[in-house]
Amino acid sequence: MEKTTDVLLLTMNSSEEQETVCIFGTGDFGKSLGLEMLQCGYSIVFGSRNPQMSSLLPNGAEVLSYSEAAQKSDIIIMAIHREHYDFLTELTEVLNGKILVDVSNNLKIKQYPQSNAEYLAQLVPGAHVVKAFNTISAWALQSRALDASRQAIAKKERPFSTSTAWLSDSYIAMGMLGFFLFVLLGITSLPSVSNMVNWREFRFVQSKLGYLTLILCTAHTLVYGGKRFLSPSSLVWYLPSAYVIALIIPCTVLVIKFILILPCIDKTLTRIREGWERNPKF
């Protein structure tokens, strides 16, 4: 008995006709939305100012004038621009008590003193104005899963990786700190500032902090490259990227500085600065 009841309910639902929906406008959005609703089983009637000139419409849809199309449905989707709402004042009696769905968006924020839905409600005070479908584009309706939906699924398959998340934080932190020290070096280089500090302070800022700034900015660029730094796929026309070329001089300076601060070399250089000679003449 339960199976028989389910079959009867399915038969009754399939035999019922879907409600007719009217769409004012035969542009890209109107045609795309009409095609989707036709595939869902709805009966679609398009309203156009030139029904004979309308073409490339979905099969099974009917094209009539605005007044004729509005008489065949209680739900009317306004897929036309606000600048073309003036004809609605002639259809106030036909649209009385019907549901008008506003799908429009303005090109600029606060382009008009009132929203399109409020303006539509003033033109047709007897209709019920609602807002819908204004966040969906005609391209999304046409491409379906080949566009946004497909990208969202691919993004869900990539979980958050804690092992590489520190790279982005380090990249930002070293860049900000390096830029701050770079500005500090520039300020201390001004004659009005350098004359107010002694030689020890000036040498500390220009030497120690200078090399620290160079290390932070170089590390900032190295973290930016990450795994792509020596990857063959990043070589376009067998040439390295711009950030790789920019690292040649700072890396060379840091390597030479690291060699010079080794104790065996630094001790000898310090003695030379103090006046030591290998074979003094006197």
Side-chain angles (χ1 to χ4, degrees), residues 10-39:
L10 290 174
T11 305
M12 291 175 61
N13 291 334
S14 60
S15 61
E16 293 179 356
E17 293 183 358
Q18 294 286 353
E19 186 175 2
T20 301
V21 177
C22 175
I23 299 178
F24 278 5
T26 56
D28 292 337
F29 187 85
K31 289 186 290 187
S32 302
L33 184 60
L35 177 60
E36 292 294 327
M37 300 186 74
L38 278 172
Q39 293 177 350

Side-chain angles (χ1 to χ4, degrees), residues 265-276:
I265 299 178
D266 182 64
K267 185 177 180 180
T268 304
L269 293 176
T270 303
R271 294 174 60 187
I272 293 174
R273 293 192 191 99
E274 294 176 352
W276 175 81

Side-chain angles (χ1 to χ4, degrees), residues 217-246:
C217 295
T218 305
H220 169 75
T221 310
L222 288 173
V223 173
Y224 170 77
K227 297 180 179 179
R228 302 174 298 170
F229 184 69
L230 298 177
S231 177
S233 60
S234 62
L235 301 178
V236 181
W237 299 105
Y238 300 99
L239 295 175
S241 302
Y243 65 88
V244 178
I245 299 176

Side-chain angles (χ1 to χ4, degrees), residues 214-215 217-218 221 245-256:
L214 184 61
I215 291 173
C217 295
T218 305
T221 310
I245 299 176
L247 287 174
I248 296 177
I249 295 178
C251 288
T252 304
V253 173
L254 291 177
V255 170
I256 295 175

Side-chain angles (χ1 to χ4, degrees), residues 102-117:
D102 178 29
V103 301
S104 61
N105 288 317
N106 293 326
L107 297 178
K108 299 179 182 179
I109 300 176
K110 296 182 180 181
Q111 184 177 0
Y112 300 100
Q114 54 188 182
S115 65
N116 293 348

